[in-house]
Amino acid sequence: MRSYGQYCAIAKALDVVGDRWSLLIVRELWYRGPSRFTDLRGGLPGIATNLLTTRLQDLERGEVLVRVSAPPPAPASTVLYSLTDRGRELRSVLTSLASFGAPLARRYDEGEHFRHHWLHMPVMAYLRDHDPNGPRKCLRVGTAEDGLDVLVCAGDLSVSIADASVTPDAQMTGPPDTLVALINGRHTLAEARDRGLEVTGDSSLLGRIWGASEGPAGAGRRGGSTEPQTAGVSK
């Protein structure tokens, strides 16, 4: 870990998290929670194994993360990486970076890596449970191998990495830019379907989340404001 050698809080922060991949490792641990090395590598396509090892060591020295033992039933030798309290303070940094980068991410270029769990922040920013009296339901964005489970219950919405042991009530997949545009309100459900959105299971769940009447054709605009209720994602 190299230092800028400057007596400045910004420079000193960048001494810890300014190297390439460092903040993306923090992103993965924020979304995933305590994670194995292999899980982190899977969420960071393009990183070399030895570089990931080095960055994890650097972040551990910088007190951004710690190594902990996995709970049962995992073997006691299984190591997980987990954010420290200091590491979790970087959430606001990632939120600001997401807001800054959102206009740059409107177009998906062929060949760019994409993971569905990277949609965690826009899902939490834009989507809502519009039927708080409705039953507990789960929408999977992506697949069991690469996806997010969006749980709606009693007016609340929570997001987690897809759990292969859970059968979702509905599942949607589609081109990355179509999913992003649907989530942040630039596409209606009908427009997203025209652009490759595929839905299986209880499609009415999409209407509940987007505040639209989701009929067989997926018609209807989402209700309410399209402005995020939390900072961090811009249209």
Side-chain angles (χ1 to χ4, degrees):
M1 183 166 56
R2 291 177 292 182
S3 172
Y4 286 99
Q6 297 181 11
Y7 186 63
C8 163
I10 295 173
K12 287 185 177 297
L14 291 174
D15 285 346
V16 177
V17 297
D19 283 326
R20 191 165 184 253
W21 296 104
S22 293
L23 283 175
L24 295 184
I25 292 172
V26 175
R27 176 199 67 189
E28 291 299 303
L29 291 174
W30 174 20
Y31 291 168
R32 293 178 176 276
S35 303
R36 299 174 301 171
F37 184 93
T38 52
D39 294 327
L40 292 173
R41 187 173 59 188
L44 296 164
I47 193 171
T49 300
N50 62 338
L51 182 55
L52 176 55
T53 298
T54 298
R55 291 292 179 264
L56 289 170
Q57 292 171 344
D58 291 342
L59 290 171
E60 187 175 13
R61 281 194 296 269
E63 301 181 353
V64 173
L65 58 80
V66 292
R67 287 180 289 178
V68 298
S69 296
S77 59
T78 302
V79 173
L80 301 179
Y81 295 90
S82 179
L83 290 176
T84 62
D85 289 342
R86 286 275 290 164
R88 284 186 284 273
E89 289 178 8
L90 290 166
R91 176 171 179 168
S92 60
V93 175
L94 294 178
T95 299
S96 295
L97 285 173
S99 181
F100 179 83
L104 308 175
R106 287 194 173 190
R107 188 182 72 181
Y108 170 69
D109 292 326
E110 193 67 31
E112 285 186 315
H113 296 293
F114 173 73
R115 298 289 186 270
H116 286 86
H117 71 268
W118 296 343
L119 297 172
H120 182 286
M121 195 180 296
V123 165
M124 290 301 296
Y126 285 101
L127 303 188
R128 295 289 173 270
D129 179 6
H130 291 273
D131 182 11
N133 296 318
R136 179 186 177 99
K137 295 280 187 175
C138 177
L139 168 68
R140 179 160 295 159
V141 183
T143 65
E145 295 74 26
D146 169 32
L148 281 179
D149 284 348
V150 182
L151 183 67
V152 292
C153 181
D156 290 329
L157 182 147
S158 62
V159 181
S160 61
I161 299 293
D163 183 348
S165 68
V166 172
T167 300
D169 297 285
Q171 182 170 343
M172 71 179 197
T173 58
D177 51 347
T178 296
L179 292 174
V180 170
L182 173 63
I183 289 168
N184 68 22
R186 287 190 289 112
H187 286 349
T188 65
L189 289 168
E191 290 167 341
R193 286 180 182 275
D194 290 342
R195 290 165 172 78
L197 180 73
E198 297 183 1
V199 180
T200 57
D202 181 7
S203 63
S204 68
L205 179 54
L206 273 69
R208 174 177 172 179
I209 293 174
W210 270 267
S213 176
E214 170 63 354
R221 286 193 174 272
R222 54 185 292 188
S225 171
T226 58
E227 291 304 314
Q229 300 301 307
T230 59
V233 183
S234 174
K235 292 183 184 179

